[in-house]
Amino acid sequence: MSATTLPRTEAAAETRLRIVDCDVHPAMRSAAELDRWLPPRWQQHRRDYGLRLRQPFTSTYPYPKSAPALSRRDAWPPGGGPPGSDLDFMRQQHLDFHDIEYGMLQPLSVRGMDERVPGFAEAVSCAVNEWQHDDWTAKDKRLKGTIAVPGEDAQAAVKEIERWAGHPDFVQISMVTRALEPLGRSRYWPIYEAAAHFGLPIGLHTLGTSGHSVAGGGWPSYYYEEHQAVAMSLAAMTASFILEGVPERFPDLKLVIIEGGFGWVPSLGWRMDSHWTALRSEVPHLRRKPSEYLQANFWFTTQPVEEPENPEHLRKLIDWIGWDRLLFATDYPHWDSDDPRYAFKCQMSEAEKRAIFAGNAKAVYRL
Amino acid sequence: MSAETPGAIDCDLHPALPGCMALLPYLDGHWREEIVSRGLDDLDLALWPRNAPLTARQDWRPAQGLAGGSVDLVRAQALDPFGSSIGILNTLFGAPALHNVDMAAALCRATNDWVAREWLDRDARLRAGILVPMESPELAVQEIERRAADRRFVQVLLLGAAETLLGRRVNWPIYEAAEKHGLPVALQVTSATRVAPTANGWPTYLIEDHVNFAQTFQSQLLSMISEGVFSRYPGLKLVLLNAGIGWVPSFLWRGTKEWRALRREVPWVDRDPAAIFRDHVRISIQPIDAPPDPADLAALLEMVGSDEMLLFATDWPHWRFEGTDALPPGLPERLRPRVLRENALATYPRLKESLP
Amino acid sequence: MSKHVVAAVSDLPAGSRRQVTIKGRPIVVFNLSGEFFALVNRCPHQGAGLCEGEITGLVTSDRPGEFHVSREGEIIRCPWHGWEFDIRTGQSWCDPSRIRIRPYPVEVAPGARLVQGPYVAETVPVRIEEDYVVLEV
Ligand code: FES
């Protein structure tokens, strides 16, 4: 591989296929922007106490990222503010540049679900949704919002879902992946019930400060480990959904797992099935093999894309998962984002490109 | 019954230790009195409840006594039917999970004596792993040193999840001793439950704990690679028991990708983590966790990219397969001799010393 | 191949870099303490413009916990996924024989010689008393 032979798997240039990007990150210039939508009581609280997460620092991560604002170094808007905070620059650098038909917003920098103070969690979720609407989706029809919810309080979460359900700008519900408890637990079921009722997928973007280490062995030392282990945390989360019987109970529920790649998916199904052979009497509420739920109720965004040395291995992997299960995402403007032109290092047919770069997402989100 | 896999080396057999009371003859006066006066007996690990279907195959549960409870059983159920020439005993016993490291050390020591006397002395085909009080690397090293002269002990057994991730420097004396004595380190599906097994805390079901252990193994590997254990101890081999191999390709791809992006944080990882993995990590074949279509096993193995990685195991007496179908369907013919025997001989230097 | 004047030496001080487009190709030119190098301005991984990356040294280690920094200023890290490339050769650190960026020959020439041709000086006015960075593309 060299610069002159960089292979292109670009969807857009050859086919005029417009891309649906299932992971775009808008940012606030600072948390103070929230005040525009917070009641005075919570404005004061925000100023005095800020967000209270389950991590050692008020405003940075215990695993310092590899780049400022975890972003591409070329994504800082010339007019100031952090990457993702300037709609015009986002249009120029990303939406227009790649001819994005729809961009699914995923606000990360401020979020309600892992805020520890319950009333504030509600107020923040609410404000984040107003902000997505007023500053993003109302200004650019390509952008679609996600309903942020204070998910540790299912009743409050359902209230917030009901506020936005049916609004054409909001196409999914977002929960953090590293929640307080395994996400298959019944305490979260009212959220799933509402999601299934309104036909809104749950978008599970890797995120959250649960107070537990990212994977089973304990707390890693390095960002290098934490970043790679994200896929492990998502596998365990997915196992919880399935083995607790969420898709059995809500067969129409759509679960979209965002920013975990997809290499881990098939083997999770194989391992669940192999253990289910011996241990099915423990989970009699499952009427099908665990892997069947994985194939029926889950979708996966592609970034960070898998990069086996042999491109045929990538194709085989997707065969195992299903070409209808993957939704393209860039993760703009983050450092580990994928470029739609070059992310997939394997050959794809026109139909396969259409599915992954747009069609699957349009079907899942009913765009 | 004719042997299914003559000459095989079975790398994962589990002798059942009834409890601490069975160790009394092997404990010194103080610890004997402690165990008796405090009424401490069974230290069964939560991942392996005695009656759970996974813990023992139905036809391997004797009418009386414990599954995996005697040399007669291992002969009749594991060694003879498969024709194994060597079988490695990996004791699943909770002593290393105790918080009191002196008590853990005494019980590990007694367990290893028990294995030597009641198993290894009774069948020349048997070998064993050394149980160590790993939460005190200092005491763990003492146990390795004490046992190393007995060449029938061929590896060091560690809990799959303990107080710290295994790559952390505090654990390095264990690897130094293991490397020095030509002992691979083996991780079992066992946890001291010091940290929750998932990022979302404690799952509900036993099946989740077992499924998720594939991730726990990966977190341990990632830790050992990124902390530089294999750069520092180039002779060290790591054996994963019950890990499956389905996750290996994605772990390797991701490992290379992350390393290209972030290796400056861990510059002692001075070559592709996938290459480090292939040089140092070995995995037992039960369970295999392969695609449902046997024809796809070859494709998966091609992604794994190593003919040296797989080690034959029945995981006796756990329930992983029926009859004598221990080899995964679809295993390419050319790999058979490697999986059955050659890979184990290359992994465990001590096995070559007394080849039957 | 033709020779192209891309900058006056005084406009490209030590430690700096500049993006130019020659024959439609994006190229980044570096001044490494007075030595000049040029690479295609496109990362072989996913195409990022290298010019926007960080210039650093090479971090290596003899044993865990120890860090050596050498070759200060001679490594460019891609602004996206951070792959490291040797500015002198275009080779990646992670897989130097297979992953590399095409380098272009660069020389410094006095204006007095350049005005005689056959050089292409599209946007850079050449004055006799200055030195210029010349790229062969
Ligand atoms: S685009 Fe340069 S490292 Fe990925």
Side-chain angles (χ1 to χ4, degrees), chain C residues 43-48 50 78-83 85:
Chain C
C43 178
H45 179 221
Q46 288 198 15
L50 279 177
C78 177
W80 292 1
H81 312 104
W83 291 12
F85 296 92

